[in-house]
Amino acid sequence: MEPRKILQLLADGRFHSGTELAGHLHVSRAAVWKQIEQLRELQVAVNSVRGRGYRLPGGMVLIDADLVRAAMPAPARELLAELDIRDMVDSTNSVAQSRVRAGAAHGYCCLAEFQSSGRGRRGRNWVSPYGAGICMTVVWEFLGGVAALEGLSLAVGVAVAEALEDAGVPVRLKWPNDLLLADAKLGGILIELGGDAGGTCQAIIGIGINVALPEDAAGSIDQAWADLRNAATRDRNLLAGKVLGRLLPALATFAGSGLAPFRERWSARDALRGRLVEVRAGAEPWSGIADGIDRQGGLRVLAPGGEQVVRGGEVTVRPREVPDAAG
Ligand code: BTN
């Protein structure tokens, strides 16, 4: 099934009868019903009301390459070598990996409406119902091996946060690169590396942003989540264009100067600084007060035994223990 066609008819958010949809699609009403069921399997919320037909509450704007490009400033557009818009994929990072295997892919970007096996950090899955968010992967080639890429994910976080701010969404960054809206997770970044670990390597930079998650899909997310349903914009073409508009120049800057130009910008959006956090990196979890990032992008944590720098692992915010009033 090609969901795009029926979604284009339902995109206006109004009711359309089964007969009308069947006429436009040149199929039977039973086939329309089947397609509606398949949309529901892709976690698209479709209302059906007897006598009125079907509608998508709130409508849906599908990703359109021209609209994405139009939302990008001209200098960034020049850095975009290829914009590959897909309907349904397993993971845009996997699509980008295949593209890398096929040949030079510097400046390639894949955007998809739906991922069946979206990947998150630390082996988690990333929930991406059809048309509900931004699923984007950009490939960028760096010289100097993987060692030069330490801190890249923080620079990417800064670029995406600035793009969202340009669109009127005030986000903060949770180390290393979660995008938070009002302390709940709005988006995430997953960077995978290919190529020669000591020479030319490709960063496969996956970015997921929740735009309007249907309630039943959101039920399968195991942490506090946010989307843009109450934000200044939910226009995915505009948002994707703005993200690329900030990201591509940021990657060029990172290639030349590393993390340095991004450190202050990261700190200005640091959601953890001064908070009690729990770090899970080795065998035993431990706690301390988050104290910003170091020059390489590690998280500084003030622990009872002195300052520690965390370079990998999972950091969660812990509520401060309230002192016992009686004591
Ligand atoms: C995280 O766990 O915070 C990272 C989430 C990254 C999700 C994005 S969606 C586009 C790209 N394709 C994937 O399979 N994952 C990333």
Side-chain angles (χ1 to χ4, degrees), residues 89-94 110 115 117-122 124-128 134-137 177-179 185 187-192 205-209 223:
V89 299
D90 50 357
S91 151
T92 53
N93 271 30
S94 303
C110 176
Q115 296 186 125
S117 316
R119 295 200 287 275
R121 288 180 63 240
R122 304 179 67 73
R124 292 208 177 91
N125 68 327
W126 183 257
V127 175
S128 348
I134 291 184
C135 303
M136 171 192 284
T137 300
N177 50 22
D178 280 1
L179 297 150
K185 185 152 170 170
I189 294 160
L190 175 71
I191 301 187
E192 295 167 323
I205 302 162
I207 298 166
I209 301 172
Q223 55 186 315

